[in-house]
Amino acid sequence: MSATQRFHEVANDALVMISEQLWPGAKLCLAIYTEGEPGLDIVLKDQGINLDEVLSTLRRAGLSIDGGNAYKRDLCDLIAGALALGKQNRNTPPEGHWAQRFWDIGRAEGEFQEELVSALKGVVKVADRETDEFDAARSAIAKATT
C-alpha cells in the first residue's frame, strides 16, 4: 500500500470518528494542500456536502476576495468576457446562467454606444463643417466604429 493510500485510510478513519461527534446537521470537510503543487491537493468531505456552504464558511473565517487565487481570476475573466461579448451582442449565456446579468450590462453599453455614434454621425452630417468640435466628433465616431 502506498503512503498516499495509507494517508487516505487514516484520514478517512479520523473523519469518521470526528463526524460521529458533530451536532446534527453539521458537515465535515478536510482540505490538504501543498503550496505551489496543486497535484498534491486532497479534499475529503462528508456525503452530501454543499461546497458553496464550505466556501461561505471560509469567507466568514476570513477568506478574502482580495487574495490571489485561480478561482477568483477565472471568475473575473468570465465576467470581463461576458461584458465584452454582451457589448458585441455575441454568445448569449445559456438560459438561467449567472453571467447573464453581466452580458446584459455589456449589451446595454453596446446599444448606448451604437445610439451615440448614430447621433454623432447625424450631427456631423448636418453641420459638415471643419471645426475642432466636429473633428473631435469624427474622431470619436472613428474610434467607436473600428
Side-chain angles (χ1 to χ4, degrees), residues 87-144:
K87 185 172 184 298
Q88 298 166 4
N89 198 19
R90 295 185 14 215
N91 295 14
T92 307
E95 181 77 27
H97 194 278
W98 63 266
Q100 181 69 50
R101 73 181 195 173
F102 298 104
W103 192 94
D104 290 342
I105 291 168
R107 184 66 238 130
E109 286 299 313
E111 289 171 351
F112 174 72
Q113 181 181 0
E114 291 163 8
E115 290 173 22
L116 184 59
V117 166
S118 179
L120 281 172
K121 283 181 179 179
V123 169
V124 169
K125 186 176 183 179
V126 168
D128 200 19
R129 295 189 207 155
E130 294 297 324
T131 65
D132 289 342
E133 290 83 9
F134 289 106
D135 288 343
R138 285 186 190 94
S139 176
I141 292 168
K143 185 176 181 180

Side-chain angles (χ1 to χ4, degrees), residues 8-136:
H8 275 273
E9 280 187 18
V10 169
N12 189 57
D13 291 346
L15 290 177
V16 167
M17 289 189 305
I18 294 170
S19 291
E20 291 170 352
Q21 303 302 315
L22 292 175
W23 49 94
K27 299 285 185 184
L28 184 62
C29 179
L30 173 66
I32 301 167
Y33 71 95
T34 303
E35 192 168 343
E37 297 189 48
L40 298 177
D41 290 353
I42 299 170
V43 178
L44 303 171
K45 56 192 178 192
D46 279 345
Q47 285 186 324
I49 199 163
N50 180 340
L51 291 177
D52 287 332
E53 285 299 320
V54 173
L55 185 57
S56 293
T57 300
L58 292 171
R59 296 262 322 186
R60 288 189 295 271
L63 178 67
S64 170
I65 196 166
D66 294 329
N69 63 68
Y71 177 78
K72 181 183 73 179
R73 286 189 299 275
D74 290 347
L75 179 64
C76 290
D77 287 348
L78 191 141
I79 291 169
L83 289 166
L85 290 171
K87 185 172 184 298
Q88 298 166 4
N89 198 19
R90 295 185 14 215
N91 295 14
T92 307
E95 181 77 27
H97 194 278
W98 63 266
Q100 181 69 50
R101 73 181 195 173
F102 298 104
W103 192 94
D104 290 342
I105 291 168
R107 184 66 238 130
E109 286 299 313
E111 289 171 351
F112 174 72
Q113 181 181 0
E114 291 163 8
E115 290 173 22
L116 184 59
V117 166
S118 179
L120 281 172
K121 283 181 179 179
V123 169
V124 169
K125 186 176 183 179
V126 168
D128 200 19
R129 295 189 207 155
E130 294 297 324
T131 65
D132 289 342
E133 290 83 9
F134 289 106
D135 288 343

